[in-house]
Amino acid sequence: MEPINDFFSLLSGFLWGWPMIILLLGTHVFLTFRLRIPQRKLITGIRLSVKKDKDATGDVSQFGALATALAATIGTGNIVGVATAVALGGPGAVLWCWLTGIFGMSTKYAEGLLAVKYRVKGKDGRTYGGPMYALERGLKMRWLAVLFAVFTALASFGIGCTVQANSIALLANETFGIPTWMVGLFVCLLTGLVILGGIKAIARVCTVLVPFMAALYVLGCIVILCMNGTYVWPAVELIVRSAFNPSAAGGGFVGATVMMAARYGIARGLFSNESGMGSAPIVAAAAQTRNPVRQALVSSTGTFWDTVVICALTGLVLVSSILAYPDISYADGAALTKVAFSKIPYIGAPLLAFGILTFAFSTILGWSYYGESAVNYIEKQRVNRFYRILYIVALFFGSIINLDIIWNIADCMNALMTIPNLVCLLLLSKVVARETEKYLWGNRLDEEMVE
């Protein structure tokens, strides 16, 4: 298996290299100005996300759709991934990650808009949408839509399923001494109880789980920042300075460069919020909303919460901890995170463990719906139950086997998802701009869309 693993590792490095990062960030910036900076309507988006739109068509509430999307995007990358970016790119990586989130909101907005604009009603009465439907109905490119769906289905068994189950099993084994196979069975049971009920059951669980787990993690970050009080502002200054002059960080960061800080910060932001990947609009299409722009605004808040808030808080905690405790080793991102949270007496380590466990489990739930929707698009028939059973079985095997090769394959599938989605966004940017001009800047957010 080693040659195969080496191949996918090399392919992943190529696919997620500078060309992809530039393409994604360029799309973020292009859409931001093409749509006249929709980030200005963040407060409106937050307000709409908690407001029910019962008279509108769709399967779940706007908040349910947002919570399910956040369940898939808020994961271990928000915790360990940011630490890895700091370890490899220096404190300045935090600023680049944050900026990626700011601009990425416009891409997530455009994805949500197209998802609702081109969604369809299936024979089973459920609402379906996402990049595959936008590619087919908006651009008449079914072949590319099928490719996107194939890559999404494969990715769901990787990044959304087996690797998350593996993270949960290993953490539970290291922290509580529970055998990985027992953890695997428990995760399978818990997941089955939720996903066998379909999108409505997934959304109900995520609506409760996501706010709770995120609030608890944010509270932990705030406690650490209070403990590091005198180092918080110096940490902010260091993050800003070292984003453009990494040598300002001193110590072991002297070898870092602006290119390294930008690369790791931007890459972590892109991987974390999934703006441009095309996953979140699959569930956005199921939202009960009266027009595409309302859900687009709600979708854009997902990137705000994921990257602009949670990733930024994580970065600030890590950098302030490095300043407060100079003896901390920051060469290992995972170790850095553990040390930072262990400074909270008694509950620090359990709090971090709980955060990683719940973040990973929520990702399993969100990606199960993405993969199921992709399979249904390809087959054009009811395969829901078969996919769900296969997904649950994969969870168990993911808990007990080595997943290096699965990680690399999943990374490749995620990148291959992104390419057709970006084609869709760029070629349909005129449609997005027209709808935005009509509903958002024309102050017609309460109007119904004729589907």
Side-chain angles (χ1 to χ4, degrees):
M1 296 293 289
E2 188 173 344
I4 299 176
N5 186 42
D6 291 342
F7 168 76
F8 279 106
S9 177
L10 186 64
L11 180 61
S12 175
F14 170 75
L15 290 173
W16 285 112
W18 272 110
M20 177 65 82
I21 291 175
I22 292 171
L23 180 60
L24 269 167
L25 188 59
T27 301
H28 293 350
V29 175
F30 167 73
L31 289 173
T32 292
F33 293 103
R34 180 75 172 85
L35 305 177
R36 295 170 52 191
I37 315 180
Q39 291 91 330
R40 290 181 287 163
K41 294 293 184 177
L42 172 63
I43 301 301
T44 301
I46 294 174
R47 177 176 57 82
L48 290 173
S49 70
V50 295
K51 183 179 180 181
K52 291 186 177 180
D53 203 357
K54 292 183 178 179
D55 296 330
T57 57
D59 296 335
V60 297
S61 68
Q62 289 182 307
F63 184 71
L66 173 63
T68 304
L70 280 173
T73 54
I74 296 179
T76 53
N78 296 79
I79 303 176
V80 179
V82 175
T84 302
V86 171
L88 296 175
V94 177
L95 179 63
W96 289 107
C97 179
W98 185 79
L99 289 174
T100 300
I102 291 290
F103 284 105
M105 289 173 62
S106 60
T107 300
K108 191 65 72 73
Y109 168 95
E111 289 178 319
L113 190 153
L114 292 175
V116 175
K117 173 75 175 175
Y118 294 108
R119 66 185 180 181
V120 300
K121 201 76 162 179
K123 293 180 179 179
D124 56 2
R126 290 172 53 185
T127 305
Y128 294 96
M132 51 277 204
Y133 293 91
L135 283 164
E136 179 181 352
R137 302 184 68 205
L139 294 173
K140 311 302 179 187
M141 300 173 69
R142 175 163 165 75
W143 65 273
L144 193 57
V146 171
L147 282 179
F148 173 85
V150 169
F151 296 142
T152 301
L154 292 174
S156 72
F157 286 104
I159 196 67
C161 177
T162 51
V163 297
Q164 302 300 329
N166 192 259
S167 297
I168 292 173
L170 290 179
L171 181 63
N173 180 260
E174 292 173 3
T175 307
F176 308 109
I178 305 174
T180 55
W181 68 268
M182 290 183 63
V183 178
L185 286 177
F186 180 72
V187 171
C188 289
L189 176 63
L190 207 58
T191 303
L193 290 174
V194 179
I195 69 173
L196 290 177
I199 180 58
K200 292 185 179 181
I202 293 172
R204 280 197 300 270
V205 172
C206 291
T207 297
V208 176
L209 179 62
V210 170
F212 175 72
M213 71 181 193
L216 197 61
Y217 178 72
V218 168
L219 180 62
C221 289
I222 292 174
V223 170
I224 296 175
L225 291 177
C226 289
M227 294 173 61
N228 298 346
T230 57
Y231 296 94
V232 172
W233 183 247
V236 173
E237 293 180 328
L238 180 60
I239 287 170
V240 175
R241 287 201 312 271
S242 59
F244 306 100
N245 179 24
S247 62
F253 294 117
V254 172
T257 66
V258 174
M259 294 294 284
M260 288 173 65
R263 177 183 177 182
Y264 290 110
I266 292 171
R268 179 44 49 207
L270 295 173
F271 299 162
S272 174
N273 59 54
E274 297 183 9
S275 293
M277 190 178 293
S279 51
I282 294 175
V283 71
Q288 295 167 343
T289 183
R290 65 187 70 183
N291 63 60
V293 171
R294 288 173 72 96
Q295 181 55 35
L297 289 170
V298 172
S299 293
S300 70
T301 66
T303 298
F304 171 77
W305 295 121
D306 177 271
T307 306
V308 180
V309 175
I310 294 180
C311 283
L313 272 176
T314 301
L316 196 56
V317 162
L318 296 173
V319 177
S320 65
S321 294
I322 290 171
L323 294 177
Y325 310 102
D327 57 321
I328 289 181
S329 172
Y330 41 79
D332 182 345
L336 173 59
T337 308
K338 290 179 181 178
V339 171
F341 271 82
S342 67
K343 299 300 180 181
I344 303 179
Y346 307 110
I347 65 169
L351 179 63
L352 177 62
F354 178 78
I356 294 176
L357 289 172
T358 53
F359 282 12
F361 179 66
S362 70
T363 300
I364 289 171
L365 297 182
W367 269 93
S368 71
Y369 180 72
Y370 296 161
E372 180 182 322
S373 298
V375 170
N376 278 339
Y377 176 80
I378 298 168
E379 291 294 325
K380 291 292 186 184
Q381 55 182 297
R382 290 179 64 86
V383 292
N384 305 23
R385 193 168 298 277
F386 174 75
Y387 172 83
R388 293 169 191 168
I389 293 172
L390 191 61
Y391 194 84
I392 293 169
V393 172
L395 284 173
F396 178 76
F397 284 102
S399 302
I400 61 175
I401 62 174
N402 184 292
L403 290 181
D404 285 345
I405 187 171
I406 303 297
W407 267 110
N408 289 323
I409 294 174
D411 283 343
C412 293
M413 293 304 106
N414 289 148
L416 293 172
M417 283 173 61
T418 303
I419 295 171
N421 183 57
L422 291 180
V423 170
C424 180
L425 287 170
L426 294 173
L427 294 183
L428 290 176
S429 61
K430 184 177 180 179
V431 174
V432 178
R434 185 176 66 242
E435 296 290 310
T436 301
E437 194 66 35
K438 175 183 176 181
Y439 291 106
L440 184 59
W441 306 126
N443 295 317
R444 298 161 70 178
L445 279 177
D446 292 332
E447 285 192 12
E448 294 273 357
M449 178 187 76
V450 179
E451 296 191 63

PDB file of all heavy atoms in Angstrom, residues 291-308:
ATOM      1  N   ASN A 291     -36.630  33.201  -1.082  1.00  0.00           N
ATOM      2  CA  ASN A 291     -35.860  33.552  -2.279  1.00  0.00           C
ATOM      3  C   ASN A 291     -34.400  33.187  -2.059  1.00  0.00           C
ATOM      4  O   ASN A 291     -33.963  32.983  -0.919  1.00  0.00           O
ATOM      5  CB  ASN A 291     -36.037  35.032  -2.647  1.00  0.00           C
ATOM      6  CG  ASN A 291     -35.510  35.979  -1.584  1.00  0.00           C
ATOM      7  OD1 ASN A 291     -34.338  35.970  -1.253  1.00  0.00           O
ATOM      8  ND2 ASN A 291     -36.403  36.823  -1.052  1.00  0.00           N
ATOM      9  N   PRO A 292     -33.612  33.073  -3.112  1.00  0.00           N
ATOM     10  CA  PRO A 292     -32.222  32.597  -2.994  1.00  0.00           C
ATOM     11  C   PRO A 292     -31.332  33.481  -2.138  1.00  0.00           C
ATOM     12  O   PRO A 292     -30.425  32.979  -1.468  1.00  0.00           O
ATOM     13  CB  PRO A 292     -31.722  32.583  -4.453  1.00  0.00           C
ATOM     14  CG  PRO A 292     -32.941  32.558  -5.291  1.00  0.00           C
ATOM     15  CD  PRO A 292     -33.979  33.307  -4.529  1.00  0.00           C
ATOM     16  N   VAL A 293     -31.566  34.779  -2.152  1.00  0.00           N
ATOM     17  CA  VAL A 293     -30.664  35.700  -1.454  1.00  0.00           C
ATOM     18  C   VAL A 293     -30.786  35.576   0.058  1.00  0.00           C
ATOM     19  O   VAL A 293     -29.797  35.716   0.787  1.00  0.00           O
ATOM     20  CB  VAL A 293     -30.908  37.150  -1.924  1.00  0.00           C
ATOM     21  CG1 VAL A 293     -30.144  38.145  -1.062  1.00  0.00           C
ATOM     22  CG2 VAL A 293     -30.473  37.295  -3.382  1.00  0.00           C
ATOM     23  N   ARG A 294     -31.978  35.297   0.548  1.00  0.00           N
ATOM     24  CA  ARG A 294     -32.130  35.130   1.992  1.00  0.00           C
ATOM     25  C   ARG A 294     -31.257  33.983   2.507  1.00  0.00           C
ATOM     26  O   ARG A 294     -30.545  34.122   3.506  1.00  0.00           O
ATOM     27  CB  ARG A 294     -33.607  34.864   2.337  1.00  0.00           C
ATOM     28  CG  ARG A 294     -34.499  36.084   2.190  1.00  0.00           C
ATOM     29  CD  ARG A 294     -35.963  35.721   2.380  1.00  0.00           C
ATOM     30  NE  ARG A 294     -36.289  35.412   3.760  1.00  0.00           N
ATOM     31  CZ  ARG A 294     -36.810  36.283   4.626  1.00  0.00           C
ATOM     32  NH1 ARG A 294     -37.025  37.537   4.244  1.00  0.00           N
ATOM     33  NH2 ARG A 294     -37.106  35.923   5.850  1.00  0.00           N
ATOM     34  N   GLN A 295     -31.311  32.857   1.819  1.00  0.00           N
ATOM     35  CA  GLN A 295     -30.487  31.729   2.246  1.00  0.00           C
ATOM     36  C   GLN A 295     -29.010  31.990   1.970  1.00  0.00           C
ATOM     37  O   GLN A 295     -28.142  31.513   2.700  1.00  0.00           O
ATOM     38  CB  GLN A 295     -30.930  30.441   1.551  1.00  0.00           C
ATOM     39  CG  GLN A 295     -30.142  29.205   1.957  1.00  0.00           C
ATOM     40  CD  GLN A 295     -30.147  28.966   3.459  1.00  0.00           C
ATOM     41  OE1 GLN A 295     -31.131  29.237   4.127  1.00  0.00           O
ATOM     42  NE2 GLN A 295     -29.036  28.470   3.988  1.00  0.00           N
ATOM     43  N   ALA A 296     -28.710  32.740   0.926  1.00  0.00           N
ATOM     44  CA  ALA A 296     -27.319  33.089   0.636  1.00  0.00           C
ATOM     45  C   ALA A 296     -26.706  33.866   1.796  1.00  0.00           C
ATOM     46  O   ALA A 296     -25.562  33.619   2.194  1.00  0.00           O
ATOM     47  CB  ALA A 296     -27.246  33.909  -0.649  1.00  0.00           C
ATOM     48  N   LEU A 297     -27.459  34.805   2.334  1.00  0.00           N
ATOM     49  CA  LEU A 297     -26.983  35.587   3.479  1.00  0.00           C
ATOM     50  C   LEU A 297     -26.774  34.699   4.703  1.00  0.00           C
ATOM     51  O   LEU A 297     -25.777  34.833   5.418  1.00  0.00           O
ATOM     52  CB  LEU A 297     -27.976  36.703   3.811  1.00  0.00           C
ATOM     53  CG  LEU A 297     -28.043  37.861   2.816  1.00  0.00           C
ATOM     54  CD1 LEU A 297     -29.222  38.776   3.131  1.00  0.00           C
ATOM     55  CD2 LEU A 297     -26.747  38.667   2.825  1.00  0.00           C
ATOM     56  N   VAL A 298     -27.708  33.774   4.925  1.00  0.00           N
ATOM     57  CA  VAL A 298     -27.583  32.851   6.051  1.00  0.00           C
ATOM     58  C   VAL A 298     -26.355  31.959   5.865  1.00  0.00           C
ATOM     59  O   VAL A 298     -25.580  31.734   6.802  1.00  0.00           O
ATOM     60  CB  VAL A 298     -28.858  31.996   6.196  1.00  0.00           C
ATOM     61  CG1 VAL A 298     -28.662  30.909   7.246  1.00  0.00           C
ATOM     62  CG2 VAL A 298     -30.052  32.872   6.570  1.00  0.00           C
ATOM     63  N   SER A 299     -26.160  31.447   4.662  1.00  0.00           N
ATOM     64  CA  SER A 299     -25.005  30.586   4.383  1.00  0.00           C
ATOM     65  C   SER A 299     -23.686  31.308   4.631  1.00  0.00           C
ATOM     66  O   SER A 299     -22.730  30.717   5.151  1.00  0.00           O
ATOM     67  CB  SER A 299     -25.056  30.088   2.939  1.00  0.00           C
ATOM     68  OG  SER A 299     -26.153  29.218   2.723  1.00  0.00           O
ATOM     69  N   SER A 300     -23.630  32.574   4.269  1.00  0.00           N
ATOM     70  CA  SER A 300     -22.384  33.330   4.433  1.00  0.00           C
ATOM     71  C   SER A 300     -21.985  33.463   5.894  1.00  0.00           C
ATOM     72  O   SER A 300     -20.796  33.585   6.212  1.00  0.00           O
ATOM     73  CB  SER A 300     -22.509  34.712   3.786  1.00  0.00           C
ATOM     74  OG  SER A 300     -23.397  35.538   4.514  1.00  0.00           O
ATOM     75  N   THR A 301     -22.972  33.437   6.806  1.00  0.00           N
ATOM     76  CA  THR A 301     -22.638  33.534   8.225  1.00  0.00           C
ATOM     77  C   THR A 301     -21.893  32.299   8.712  1.00  0.00           C
ATOM     78  O   THR A 301     -21.191  32.344   9.721  1.00  0.00           O
ATOM     79  CB  THR A 301     -23.895  33.738   9.093  1.00  0.00           C
ATOM     80  OG1 THR A 301     -24.730  32.575   9.021  1.00  0.00           O
ATOM     81  CG2 THR A 301     -24.690  34.951   8.633  1.00  0.00           C
ATOM     82  N   GLY A 302     -22.038  31.175   7.989  1.00  0.00           N
ATOM     83  CA  GLY A 302     -21.322  29.968   8.370  1.00  0.00           C
ATOM     84  C   GLY A 302     -19.818  30.166   8.345  1.00  0.00           C
ATOM     85  O   GLY A 302     -19.096  29.742   9.257  1.00  0.00           O
ATOM     86  N   THR A 303     -19.324  30.824   7.296  1.00  0.00           N
ATOM     87  CA  THR A 303     -17.893  31.111   7.202  1.00  0.00           C
ATOM     88  C   THR A 303     -17.466  32.086   8.285  1.00  0.00           C
ATOM     89  O   THR A 303     -16.366  31.987   8.838  1.00  0.00           O
ATOM     90  CB  THR A 303     -17.561  31.677   5.808  1.00  0.00           C
ATOM     91  OG1 THR A 303     -17.867  30.689   4.824  1.00  0.00           O
ATOM     92  CG2 THR A 303     -16.096  32.053   5.694  1.00  0.00           C
ATOM     93  N   PHE A 304     -18.329  33.027   8.603  1.00  0.00           N
ATOM     94  CA  PHE A 304     -18.033  33.987   9.671  1.00  0.00           C
ATOM     95  C   PHE A 304     -17.823  33.266  10.995  1.00  0.00           C
ATOM     96  O   PHE A 304     -16.817  33.466  11.681  1.00  0.00           O
ATOM     97  CB  PHE A 304     -19.173  35.004   9.792  1.00  0.00           C
ATOM     98  CG  PHE A 304     -19.063  35.895  10.995  1.00  0.00           C
ATOM     99  CD1 PHE A 304     -18.169  36.954  11.012  1.00  0.00           C
ATOM    100  CD2 PHE A 304     -19.847  35.661  12.121  1.00  0.00           C
ATOM    101  CE1 PHE A 304     -18.051  37.773  12.138  1.00  0.00           C
ATOM    102  CE2 PHE A 304     -19.741  36.473  13.240  1.00  0.00           C
ATOM    103  CZ  PHE A 304     -18.845  37.534  13.245  1.00  0.00           C
ATOM    104  N   TRP A 305     -18.778  32.400  11.373  1.00  0.00           N
ATOM    105  CA  TRP A 305     -18.662  31.706  12.656  1.00  0.00           C
ATOM    106  C   TRP A 305     -17.479  30.747  12.664  1.00  0.00           C
ATOM    107  O   TRP A 305     -16.738  30.659  13.659  1.00  0.00           O
ATOM    108  CB  TRP A 305     -19.947  30.927  12.959  1.00  0.00           C
ATOM    109  CG  TRP A 305     -21.161  31.773  13.165  1.00  0.00           C
ATOM    110  CD1 TRP A 305     -22.328  31.729  12.457  1.00  0.00           C
ATOM    111  CD2 TRP A 305     -21.348  32.806  14.149  1.00  0.00           C
ATOM    112  NE1 TRP A 305     -23.224  32.664  12.924  1.00  0.00           N
ATOM    113  CE2 TRP A 305     -22.647  33.344  13.961  1.00  0.00           C
ATOM    114  CE3 TRP A 305     -20.540  33.329  15.154  1.00  0.00           C
ATOM    115  CZ2 TRP A 305     -23.145  34.366  14.758  1.00  0.00           C
ATOM    116  CZ3 TRP A 305     -21.038  34.346  15.952  1.00  0.00           C
ATOM    117  CH2 TRP A 305     -22.327  34.856  15.753  1.00  0.00           C
ATOM    118  N   ASP A 306     -17.279  30.028  11.564  1.00  0.00           N
ATOM    119  CA  ASP A 306     -16.249  29.001  11.508  1.00  0.00           C
ATOM    120  C   ASP A 306     -14.833  29.591  11.551  1.00  0.00           C
ATOM    121  O   ASP A 306     -14.001  29.147  12.346  1.00  0.00           O
ATOM    122  CB  ASP A 306     -16.414  28.176  10.226  1.00  0.00           C
ATOM    123  CG  ASP A 306     -15.322  27.145  10.066  1.00  0.00           C
ATOM    124  OD1 ASP A 306     -14.268  27.469   9.477  1.00  0.00           O
ATOM    125  OD2 ASP A 306     -15.511  26.014  10.525  1.00  0.00           O
ATOM    126  N   THR A 307     -14.570  30.557  10.697  1.00  0.00           N
ATOM    127  CA  THR A 307     -13.203  31.051  10.531  1.00  0.00           C
ATOM    128  C   THR A 307     -12.963  32.388  11.213  1.00  0.00           C
ATOM    129  O   THR A 307     -11.990  32.552  11.955  1.00  0.00           O
ATOM    130  CB  THR A 307     -12.860  31.173   9.030  1.00  0.00           C
ATOM    131  OG1 THR A 307     -13.111  29.922   8.402  1.00  0.00           O
ATOM    132  CG2 THR A 307     -11.407  31.554   8.837  1.00  0.00           C
ATOM    133  N   VAL A 308     -13.847  33.349  10.969  1.00  0.00           N
ATOM    134  CA  VAL A 308     -13.637  34.693  11.501  1.00  0.00           C
ATOM    135  C   VAL A 308     -13.729  34.701  13.021  1.00  0.00           C
ATOM    136  O   VAL A 308     -13.062  35.484  13.696  1.00  0.00           O
ATOM    137  CB  VAL A 308     -14.652  35.689  10.894  1.00  0.00           C
ATOM    138  CG1 VAL A 308     -14.445  37.085  11.447  1.00  0.00           C
ATOM    139  CG2 VAL A 308     -14.531  35.698   9.376  1.00  0.00           C
TER     140      VAL A 308
END
